[in-house]
Amino acid sequence: MKIVVLAGGTSTERDISLVTSHYVCESLRRNGHDANVLDVFYGIDDNKAASFFTEKNDLDELEKELKAKSHEIETEIKNRKTIRQGFFGPNVLKLCKEADVVFMGLHGANGEDGKIQGTFELLDIKYTGTDSLSSAISMDKDLTKKVLVPNGIPMPKGIVLHKGEEAKDIQFPCVVKPANGGSSVGVSIVNSKDEFTKALDYAFESDDTVLIEEYVKGREFSAGVLDGKPLPVIEIVPLKGWYDYENKYADGATKHVCPANIPDDITKQMQHWAVECLKVAGVTIYGRVDMLLDENNNIYCLEINTLPGMTPTSLLPHEASEAGISFDELTQKVIDLSINR
């Protein structure tokens, strides 16, 4: 098949998306597909577009080139708003229409939040992962809570704060995080009023809406779901601190234990909640739910990831491997499920 691996974009997770797309594209090529990586924001010129599906791009060089452009993003966004050029780069929609399917290698805003999925649905472009509505619900942590909690999903208590509003009666410790975002960008664990002020500023750099949640002291886990079926639960053990951006992506910073060393009944309960979270939010194909387990064995669901990372340190491929599904089998299954949805 002719496959566009859609990468990059403009979110705070842009560089992680480039790594995910690199490894996915390598896998798709091993599976016999004509696959190339395409930056959704920067696109490519007409000459490269003409041979996109016949000439394989050098993935190492392309990743370096696109990462080098990451620091230009804010300036380029302002320029495009001035000339009303729009989000999609040159030839992006053209090549996506020509492809048999688009593998969504994007993470974060303008990629995982349903906007691109909605565009593709209107243009009848096949793409991997769940649909636009469930993507939007899962990306917005405030909206996720409003959908999941009334359906009995256990989640930490919290409030929403919009930019310009004053926070009152905050209990410490607490967690401050942007309502839209991933990879723990903009997230802080706060123990005092001074820390809280700094944490709000940090979170508002990423989003105009912030969640302030009770701090749950506990072990960190993630439970993946593929085609409605749970994968083995994985425990995330940072060697220092908590599972922030640095610990997520720095080699050797975090230990992953899969299957998690927990009693069978807790494993089954986590898997149950993971399946329920995706079901209630309408998420199909695949996804991952992050959770906490406190000292009294209470489970708290934190968020749904509708486009889980596919890097060498990513959780979902690790869980799939433990279930006997290789990385190449995983990428192929995601494509097959998406095309046949």
Side-chain angles (χ1 to χ4, degrees):
M1 287 191 289
K2 296 189 297 184
I3 301 177
V4 169
V5 182
L6 206 56
T10 58
S11 81
T12 53
E13 298 174 78
R14 170 183 169 80
D15 285 357
I16 304 304
S17 164
L18 296 174
V19 180
T20 279
S21 298
H22 181 148
Y23 283 94
V24 165
C25 191
E26 284 184 336
S27 174
L28 297 178
R29 289 176 181 177
R30 289 193 296 269
N31 287 340
H33 299 294
D34 295 320
N36 268 334
V37 171
L38 179 64
D39 190 307
V40 65
F41 187 65
Y42 283 106
I44 55 175
D45 62 33
D46 292 346
N47 289 334
K48 290 182 179 179
S51 59
F52 184 80
F53 294 109
T54 56
E55 294 184 13
K56 293 180 179 179
N57 47 32
D58 184 315
L59 296 176
D60 290 320
E61 288 300 317
L62 183 62
E63 184 181 332
K64 290 179 184 177
E65 176 188 327
L66 293 177
K67 280 186 176 179
K69 289 186 175 183
S70 294
H71 72 279
E72 305 170 1
I73 291 290
E74 292 302 321
T75 301
E76 181 63 19
I77 290 173
K78 291 178 182 177
N79 290 341
R80 292 195 189 184
K81 285 183 178 178
T82 300
I83 61 177
R84 303 185 70 179
Q85 183 176 331
F87 173 78
F88 292 98
N91 291 303
V92 169
L93 290 178
K94 173 181 179 293
L95 290 170
C96 289
K97 287 179 183 179
E98 293 176 6
D100 294 303
V101 66
V102 176
F103 198 107
M104 300 292 279
L106 299 164
H107 300 312
N110 295 324
E112 202 168 354
D113 55 8
K115 294 178 182 177
I116 292 176
Q117 289 84 349
T119 301
F120 285 176
E121 287 160 13
L122 291 173
L123 295 174
D124 198 26
I125 295 171
K126 292 185 183 295
Y127 63 89
T128 59
T130 196
D131 66 8
S132 58
L133 180 58
S134 55
S135 295
I137 290 171
S138 302
M139 184 67 184
D140 187 321
K141 295 179 180 65
D142 177 33
L143 189 54
T144 303
K145 278 195 169 188
K146 289 176 178 175
V147 172
L148 297 189
V149 171
N151 283 278
I153 308 294
M155 302 186 79
K157 296 177 182 177
I159 62 170
V160 175
L161 191 69
H162 300 284
K163 187 172 282 189
E165 293 179 344
E166 182 180 353
K168 299 179 180 179
D169 302 323
I170 302 301
Q171 301 293 315
F172 301 110
C174 66
V175 178
V176 178
K177 58 188 176 183
N180 290 274
S183 293
S184 298
V185 175
V187 180
S188 303
I189 297 175
V190 177
N191 293 288
S192 68
K193 188 173 182 179
D194 287 343
E195 289 181 3
F196 181 70
T197 301
K198 294 176 182 177
L200 280 183
D201 291 341
Y202 179 43
F204 279 129
E205 288 177 6
S206 300
D207 193 16
D208 289 340
T209 304
V210 163
L211 261 66
I212 304 167
E213 294 182 332
E214 63 174 324
Y215 172 68
V216 177
K217 184 179 180 180
R219 297 158 66 186
E220 300 181 63
F221 297 85
S222 189
V225 179
L226 180 64
D227 193 21
K229 302 174 183 64
L231 295 171
V233 175
I234 193 168
E235 182 173 7
I236 305 145
V237 187
L239 300 186
K240 61 178 182 178
W242 57 285
Y243 197 44
D244 58 6
Y245 184 93
E246 182 178 350
N247 281 330
K248 283 185 177 181
Y249 299 112
D251 288 341
T254 301
K255 181 181 178 182
H256 296 161
V257 182
C258 188
N261 185 22
I262 49 178
D264 287 345
D265 61 328
I266 294 178
T267 294
K268 290 178 181 177
Q269 191 64 48
M270 286 184 175
Q271 291 175 321
H272 166 76
W273 286 130
V275 171
E276 281 298 300
C277 282
L278 267 62
K279 182 179 178 182
V280 170
V283 176
T284 61
I285 313 301
Y286 70 140
R288 207 190 74 229
V289 178
D290 297 334
M291 303 178 183
L292 288 172
L293 181 70
D294 72 11
E295 57 188 9
N296 296 316
N297 287 336
N298 296 308
I299 299 168
Y300 295 84
C301 298
L302 299 179
E303 63 179 85
I304 302 171
N305 298 273
T306 56
L307 292 177
M310 301 284 270
T311 74
T313 59
S314 294
L315 303 176
L316 189 84
H318 191 162
E319 295 175 57
S321 177
E322 194 63 33
I325 303 169
S326 71
F327 191 84
D328 291 351
E329 290 171 333
L330 177 61
T331 58
Q332 187 61 49
K333 190 167 182 65
V334 167
I335 287 173
D336 293 341
L337 290 169
S338 299
I339 288 178
N340 295 324
R341 94 174 84 209

